[in-house]
Every structure is written in structure tokens, then in C-alpha cells.
Amino acid sequence: MTLQPGDIILTGTPEGVILGWPKEKRVYMTAGDEVTVEVEKLGALTTKFIAPESE
């Protein structure tokens, strides 16, 4: 697949996937976690999860 300028890459997990695991084995993203997505010969994008600000 050829990407064009302005293309957006979105990924995710189908709803309910984690529900198949026992509760004690379920792991969710939390503040401080980082996810890096890399496209060969293009670069990488790292996103760091932060806690929401208190209102």
C-alpha cells in the first residue's frame, strides 16, 4: 500500500478483545506508558499517555 501526504494511519483493537482474559490478567494503558508507531524509511511517532488534569 502506498501512503500519500496527508494519509492518516489509525489502529485499534476490536471491542471486547480484552474481555476474553481473566480480570487479573487484563492490562490497560496508564499514565506514563508510551506507544511508538514506526513506518520503515519514513520515521517514528511516539505517544506518551498522561493523566487527565483535575477539574
Side-chain angles (χ1 to χ4, degrees):
M1 174 172 134
T2 302
L3 297 173
Q4 301 296 323
D7 284 350
I8 298 173
I9 302 170
L10 299 173
T11 62
T13 304
E15 183 178 346
V17 168
I18 199 164
L19 299 178
W21 287 84
K23 285 188 178 187
E24 63 275 3
K25 290 192 174 190
R26 295 179 191 175
V27 179
Y28 295 90
M29 302 300 295
T30 59
D33 288 345
E34 290 185 357
V35 174
T36 300
V37 177
E38 186 170 355
V39 177
E40 186 178 339
K41 298 182 182 179
L42 180 62
L45 173 66
T46 299
T47 302
K48 184 174 183 176
F49 287 77
I50 58 171
E53 294 182 15
S54 300
E55 293 184 19

